[in-house]
């Protein structure tokens, strides 16, 4: 055992040339992407719900919130991008307040993702986030958004990362990404903070720098004085400081993030040390009006794209659901060719379509009058129960008892409704109710404005009347 502890010279790792993101070949491929790669796509903004799974206090008044998507999908993004999050700061009954936060995690670990939020005591949203977002909190998100990110492939991969204060968050995502990938790279980080104990992620930064020979990290305190034991730089960003940490700055791609004043200074200094404009990428963390308007335009565009993509996904949903492994058991008809209900082993009851009659209750007549063509009364009817669910796209009527959850009955009858948590949390089973009444006991998987728009979660809802459903 003891010889393990004897220090022997360690050889440098052998690495392939340059950096390449894992998804790069899929994107360049003319072939359809392989299944695993498809799971990690698409690489465009989407609207989705995410559940907080962990909160991690960080130095400098920051807090990292770790999320996972409620629909179980990974979040595909590029290191440096951000998400726009709707926070119900004024209560669930009021319009949420949107804010954008850079992703601080690496896209190479896409099953969870994090944002890191600095508490601004005078702000509206960040104190609410620190005080209210906890494991289990579900929030509406839009993303990924933003052109400030690492390239998908870079044969040279020489970077200078400049970060000030909370500007470290997208830089952290970039650094974590590079550290997680093979490939030759050369990264210098220069991180400015206002006080010695206020550098978020400093433990992880020290760890990465100690085990990854491709990475060097330097710290600098501003000009408000420094403690005696401080070993980093002091003073504001200067060209001498840049030249000291990266004498070859003009041969590097520079990514800089921080407050506006810091970035304006950085632009001047980088020019002075010979860095070409085309090698400089910046993300403003507090901007003037023009920057804020640019952000708003970016988010509006992302939202339009998300909407288009959602429509495309809805159009191809059938193919998608058919390609899902049947082991999930979510989309399979619950009856076989002989008409036996798999769950109960009972024969499937095929009920001849009935004309709306005097027997039918108020719900049915309302449903029928509201139902769009085709006419639900011509659909086959399956199952038993006192109420009827008409699924307009599937073209089937399902009989159900008032105490039975709608999702189970629908899926047994082969109606394709995606589902995940089955507890009203994730929102993935959300469908539109065209008419009728349901009783819903959800756990945050749907927002009030969606309910007002006629949506409901069939996994946690029971029918109160006959229903007509857009599924
Ligand atoms: S399956 Fe998650 S909310 Fe319905």
């Amino acid at each position: 055992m003891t010889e393990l502890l004897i220090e022997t010279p360690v050889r440098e790792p052998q690495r392939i040339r340059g950096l390449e993101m894992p998804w790069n070949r899929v994107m360049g491929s003319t072939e359809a992407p392989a299944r695993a790669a498809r799971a990690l796509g698409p690489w465009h903004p989407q609207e989705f719900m995410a559940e907080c799974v962990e909160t991690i206090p960080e130095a400098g008044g920051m807090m990292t919130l770790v999320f996972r998507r409620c629909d179980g999908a990974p979040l595909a993004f590029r290191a440096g991008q951000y998400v726009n999050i709707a926070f119900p700061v004024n209560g669930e009954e009021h319009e949420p307040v949107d804010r954008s936060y850079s992703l601080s995690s690496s896209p190479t670990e896409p099953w969870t993702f994090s944002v890191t939020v600095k508490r601004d005591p005078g702000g509206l949203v960040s104190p609410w986030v620190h005080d209210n977002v906890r494991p289990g909190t579900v929030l509406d998100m839009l993303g990924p958004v933003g052109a400030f990110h690492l390239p998908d492939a870079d044969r040279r991969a020489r970077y200078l990362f400049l970060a000030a204060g909370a500007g470290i968050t997208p830089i952290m995502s970039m650094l974590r990404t590079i550290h997680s990938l093979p490939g030759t790279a050369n990264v210098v980080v220069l991180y400015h903070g206002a006080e010695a104990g206020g550098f978020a992620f400093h433990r992880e930064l020290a760890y990465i720098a100690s085990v990854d020979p491709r990475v060097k990290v330097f710290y600098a305190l501003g000009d408000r004085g420094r403690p005696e034991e401080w070993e980093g730089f002091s003073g504001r960003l200067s060209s001498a400081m840049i030249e000291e940490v990266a004498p070859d700055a003009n041969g590097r791609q520079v990514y800089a993030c921080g407050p506006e004043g810091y970035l304006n200074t950085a632009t001047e200094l980088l020019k002075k040390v010979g860095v070409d404009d085309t090698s400089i990428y910046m993300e403003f963390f507090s901007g003037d009006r023009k920057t804020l308007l640019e952000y708003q335009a970016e988010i509006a565009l992302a939202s339009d794209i998300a909407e288009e993509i959602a429509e495309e996904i809805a159009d191809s949903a059938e193919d998608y659901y058919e390609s899902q492994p049947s082991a999930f058991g979510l989309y399979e008809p619950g009856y076989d060719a002989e008409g036996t209900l798999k769950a109960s082993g009972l024969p499937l009851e095929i009920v001849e379509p009935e004309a709306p009659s005097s027997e039918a209750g108020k719900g049915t007549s309302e449903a029928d009058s509201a139902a769009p063509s085709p006419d639900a009364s011509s659909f086959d009817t399956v199952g038993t129960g006192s109420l009827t669910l008409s699924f307009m796209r599937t073209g089937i009527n399902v009989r159900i008892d008032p105490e039975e959850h709608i999702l189970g009955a629908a899926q047994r009858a082969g109606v394709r409704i995606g589902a995940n948590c089955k507890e009203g949390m994730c929102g993935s089973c959300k469908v539109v109710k065209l008419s009728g009444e349901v009783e819903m006991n959800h756990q945050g998987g749907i927002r009030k404005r969606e309910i007002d728009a006629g949506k409901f979660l069939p996994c946690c809802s029971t029918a109160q009347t006959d229903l007509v459903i857009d599924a």
Side-chain angles (χ1 to χ4, degrees):
M1 288 301 286
T2 42
E3 64 267 31
L4 282 178
L5 301 172
I6 295 171
E7 192 129 329
T8 49
V10 180
R11 299 223 316 259
E12 284 287 294
Q14 305 270 303
R15 301 185 193 268
I16 58 157
R17 183 159 173 221
L19 268 186
E20 185 167 353
M21 300 300 145
W23 53 81
N24 183 50
R25 302 206 169 196
V26 177
M27 297 188 70
S29 155
T30 49
E31 306 284 323
R35 253 166 202 258
R38 261 208 313 256
L40 292 170
W43 289 266
H44 41 58
Q46 302 155 66
E47 285 190 273
F48 58 94
M49 296 177 83
E51 176 195 17
C52 176
V53 290
E54 190 177 6
T55 57
I56 308 166
E58 310 278 0
M62 313 251 270
M63 185 156 74
T64 292
L65 311 169
V66 184
F67 289 96
R68 64 179 169 209
R69 282 176 64 134
C70 292
D71 58 11
L75 179 67
F77 64 100
R78 291 177 165 107
Q81 290 191 297
Y82 61 92
V83 281
N84 186 259
I85 309 178
F87 296 101
V89 293
N90 299 315
E92 290 289 339
E93 304 306 307
H94 295 89
E95 274 298 293
V97 179
D98 288 0
R99 286 289 183 276
S100 292
Y101 286 106
S102 288
L103 291 147
S104 50
S105 54
S106 164
T108 54
E109 291 179 7
W111 300 98
T112 56
F113 60 93
S114 12
V115 297
T116 303
V117 178
K118 185 175 171 65
R119 183 193 280 268
D120 168 6
L124 169 68
V125 173
S126 66
W128 185 92
V129 170
H130 276 241
D131 297 339
N132 293 281
V133 178
R134 293 287 174 267
T137 305
V138 172
L139 297 168
D140 274 335
M141 300 197 181
L142 167 70
V145 190
F148 177 76
H149 59 74
L150 286 179
D152 291 325
D154 186 345
R155 299 278 284 167
R156 293 197 67 219
R158 298 178 68 77
Y159 302 122
L160 169 60
F161 293 156
L162 301 177
I168 190 66
T169 51
I171 299 296
M172 200 61 204
S173 174
M174 293 181 183
L175 195 66
R176 284 170 164 163
T177 304
I178 294 168
H179 178 55
S180 72
L181 293 174
T184 53
N186 186 308
V187 182
V188 173
V189 183
L190 176 55
Y191 181 4
H192 262 82
E195 51 178 356
F199 289 86
F201 310 113
H202 64 277
R203 282 203 195 96
E204 190 178 342
L205 288 167
Y207 169 75
I208 292 176
S210 72
V211 298
D212 192 334
R214 300 172 297 174
V215 176
K216 285 196 178 67
V217 180
F218 298 90
Y219 298 91
L221 279 178
D223 49 10
R224 283 185 235 157
R226 59 175 196 164
E228 262 173 31
E229 67 281 11
W230 178 251
E231 288 174 359
F233 290 99
S234 54
R236 295 182 180 210
L237 187 66
S238 65
S239 49
M241 206 183 277
I242 294 175
E243 279 181 323
E244 192 169 341
V245 300
D248 56 349
N250 63 2
R252 294 174 181 267
Q253 302 293 310
V254 182
Y255 289 84
C257 184
E260 196 184 350
Y262 168 84
L263 292 183
N264 291 341
T265 308
T267 311
E268 295 299 312
L269 298 173
L270 288 166
K271 258 189 217 153
K272 221 164 146 186
V273 299
V275 182
D276 189 84
D277 267 0
T278 57
S279 299
I280 303 174
Y281 309 90
M282 293 199 163
E283 182 86 321
F284 287 79
F285 255 36
S286 53
D288 56 10
R289 202 176 134 66
K290 183 169 158 272
T291 315
L292 292 176
L293 290 176
E294 277 169 15
Y295 271 37
Q296 276 169 15
E298 254 182 4
I299 290 159
L301 177 65
S303 160
D304 287 350
I305 295 172
E307 212 168 293
E308 271 171 38
I309 298 296
E311 273 167 28
E312 269 172 38
I313 290 172
D315 289 347
S316 62
E318 197 147 318
D319 293 352
Y320 172 75
Y321 290 143
E322 269 162 14
S323 72
Q324 294 303 298
S326 59
F328 286 167
L330 300 180
Y331 313 111
E332 264 192 318
Y335 53 88
D336 58 24
E338 277 74 53
T340 304
L341 278 168
K342 284 182 186 167
S344 61
L346 296 173
L348 185 69
E349 186 198 3
I350 307 288
V351 180
E352 289 305 319
E354 296 164 359
S357 69
S358 52
E359 218 185 292
K362 186 167 172 282
T364 304
S365 26
E366 267 176 9
D368 287 346
S369 65
S373 59
D375 183 359
S377 65
S378 66
F379 297 165
D380 282 347
T381 301
V382 298
T384 55
S386 56
L387 299 170
T388 302
L389 315 178
S390 299
F391 292 93
M392 298 309 289
R393 286 201 226 168
T394 316
I396 196 168
N397 290 328
V398 177
R399 283 282 176 88
I400 187 174
D401 280 323
E403 63 279 2
E404 197 182 349
H405 280 136
I406 293 168
L407 180 69
Q411 289 185 334
R412 277 203 304 282
V415 177
R416 293 188 175 103
I417 298 175
N420 215 316
C421 69
K422 298 193 177 170
E423 290 177 2
M425 254 164 54
C426 73
S428 54
C429 64
K430 206 175 293 165
V431 290
V432 175
K433 170 172 64 77
L434 299 170
S435 73
E437 296 299 327
V438 296
E439 186 175 304
M440 176 163 56
N441 286 308
H442 71 89
Q443 298 184 60
I446 190 164
R447 305 189 76 86
K448 184 176 175 296
R449 61 175 188 268
E450 293 176 306
I451 299 171
D452 293 345
K455 294 181 182 169
F456 78 106
L457 301 173
C459 71
C460 56
S461 300
T462 52
Q464 301 298 294
T465 64
D466 288 351
L467 297 174
V468 181
I469 296 167
D470 185 26

